[in-house]
Amino acid sequence: MGIFERYLTLWVALCIFAGVGLGNLAPDLFELIARLELAHVNLVVAVFIWVMIYPMMVQIDFSAIKDVGKKPKGLLLTLIINWLIKPFTMAALGWLFFRVFFADWVDPQSAGEYIAGMILLGVAPCTAMVFVWSQLTKGDPNYTLVQVSVNDIIMIFAFAPIAAFLLGVSNIAVPWETLLLSVLLYVVLPLVAGAWTRHRLERKGDGVRLDHFLRVLKPWSMLGLLATVVLLFGFQAETIVTQPQTIGLIAIPLLIQTYGIFIITYVAAWWLRLPHNVAAPACMIGTSNFFELAVAVAISLFGLHSGAALATVVGVLVEVPVMLSLVYFVNKTHRWFAHQED
């Protein structure tokens, strides 16, 4: 394990502080970067995420993808968690905390908007960062690709109806540009580039060139993650400093939801006797969120400065630290699945 992976939690913590510090020291710079977006997808962040994901796509062996169908339980678990459990538990926790526990601290209108933002996060399963978490937990890259791809297809049809039902509104205009552009930038393009690279390298050797190329790229993948963290926290530096109490209140149910969904999925994966390299990414997909889509819908429905938009942003802020803690736990408990490995 390289120095970036061995001390990744430390690097991320330093990048969080760096992002908040730089965001307050040079707000104009981060505002300029934030304006470089298309369909609510920040192009600079997209580049860094692409740098993260590309090495993982090179690892995918397309000849082995056909074998994924022989192990359907991992895919079914992901779909059940993402579409039959997660959106509804997120809505329930939002209502419980902001209508009951925090009712004396938050006005009803703001409470409703915070709940709406949480719901939008719950209905948007992760697309891009899953590949990062899968690699860090030594997940099967072929299986992860199939899990993400199937979720993206279902999201096209299920996102709007489920969100509309839970939000209690008659219709939701899905920002198709955001959804399609994100999938294109985060999945399709790096996948095509990775497949082409792997094909070229395998033609030239017996796998030695491929292994060497992946070793060279690995630090860049981690650097892409760290640069993304700096930007995300830099964009929201002012909010973090000026509204710490509100962020804390929103973060509490989000943390409970994330860890709760992870526990449910991880226990179910163990009970289903899934191998660890399938169970790990299945859990990561269920616990992380497609924040670009959630933020875009929150802004279009409630406005840029709404409580719903703020709640989706808090989801972005808590995701990386929380997911790193889960990566650590998953790696430490690999032996729980030892009797289930092929």
Side-chain angles (χ1 to χ4, degrees):
M1 184 178 289
I3 187 171
F4 284 107
E5 290 177 296
R6 187 179 298 117
Y7 301 106
L8 185 57
T9 303
L10 173 61
W11 307 139
V12 168
L14 292 175
C15 287
I16 289 173
F17 286 113
V20 175
L22 291 172
N24 282 284
L25 290 174
D28 293 340
L29 173 61
F30 281 87
E31 184 178 340
L32 174 63
I33 297 174
R35 287 200 297 265
L36 300 175
E37 65 173 31
L38 180 64
H40 298 290
V41 176
N42 186 271
L43 299 180
V44 180
V45 173
V47 169
F48 288 140
I49 291 180
W50 202 92
V51 171
M52 274 189 283
I53 295 174
Y54 169 65
M56 303 163 205
M57 294 302 193
V58 178
Q59 297 179 42
I60 294 173
D61 181 2
F62 281 87
S63 64
I65 288 181
K66 63 181 184 297
D67 296 329
V68 170
K70 300 176 182 178
K71 305 173 184 177
K73 291 189 291 185
L75 183 58
L76 289 175
L77 174 62
T78 301
L79 298 180
I80 290 171
I81 292 294
N82 278 341
W83 301 108
L84 298 181
I85 297 178
K86 182 180 176 181
F88 304 96
T89 56
M90 183 74 92
L93 282 172
W95 181 89
L96 180 64
F97 275 86
F98 286 104
R99 295 301 187 193
V100 181
F101 296 155
F102 299 156
D104 295 334
W105 299 342
V106 181
D107 65 89
Q109 180 177 347
S110 296
E113 292 184 358
Y114 297 153
I115 294 170
M118 292 178 59
I119 288 172
L120 292 174
L121 284 170
V123 189
C126 190
T127 291
M129 295 295 286
V130 170
F131 295 104
V132 179
W133 313 133
S134 178
Q135 175 177 275
L136 292 175
T137 55
K138 298 179 175 61
D140 183 336
N142 304 317
Y143 209 102
T144 302
L145 174 63
V146 173
Q147 288 173 310
V148 170
S149 300
V150 173
N151 267 288
D152 286 344
I153 293 171
I154 292 177
M155 184 158 42
I156 292 173
F157 301 98
F159 178 87
I162 296 177
F165 172 74
L166 292 175
L167 291 174
V169 297
S170 58
N171 56 41
I172 286 185
V174 177
W176 293 106
E177 289 185 357
T178 301
L179 177 56
L180 296 177
L181 182 61
S182 297
V183 173
L184 176 66
L185 290 176
Y186 301 152
V187 179
V188 177
L189 288 181
L191 178 61
V192 171
W196 181 84
T197 303
R198 184 183 182 95
H199 175 69
R200 295 282 296 180
L201 291 173
E202 286 181 335
R203 283 182 58 187
K204 294 180 179 180
D206 56 0
V208 176
R209 289 175 180 265
L210 178 61
D211 292 339
H212 175 72
F213 184 74
L214 289 173
R215 284 197 299 271
V216 171
L217 279 185
K218 204 168 190 179
W220 286 99
S221 182
M222 295 301 102
L223 286 172
L225 171 61
L226 297 177
T228 303
V229 172
V230 172
L231 280 184
L232 293 178
F233 279 83
F235 291 155
Q236 305 302 327
E238 183 179 355
T239 302
I240 294 171
V241 172
T242 58
Q243 302 185 55
Q245 180 178 352
T246 302
I247 291 175
L249 292 178
I250 297 172
I252 291 172
L254 287 179
L255 290 172
I256 294 173
Q257 162 78 2
T258 302
Y259 285 116
I261 287 294
F262 172 81
I263 292 171
I264 292 171
T265 312
Y266 208 54
V267 170
W270 180 87
W271 181 73
L272 290 170
R273 301 184 64 82
L274 297 180
H276 189 266
N277 64 353
V278 171
C283 295
M284 296 305 170
I285 294 174
T287 52
S288 53
N289 304 300
F290 188 174
F291 55 80
E292 293 93 346
L293 180 62
V295 171
V297 176
I299 292 173
S300 65
L301 288 178
F302 301 97
L304 178 62
H305 301 291
S306 65
L310 178 61
T312 57
V313 168
V314 175
V316 177
L317 299 180
V318 302
E319 176 161 320
V320 174
V322 169
M323 294 304 293
L324 283 176
S325 71
L326 294 178
V327 166
Y328 177 82
F329 178 81
V330 166
N331 288 335
K332 283 293 184 181
T333 55
H334 186 287
R335 63 185 183 281
W336 294 1
F337 294 78
H339 64 292
Q340 300 168 181
E341 300 292 340
D342 292 338

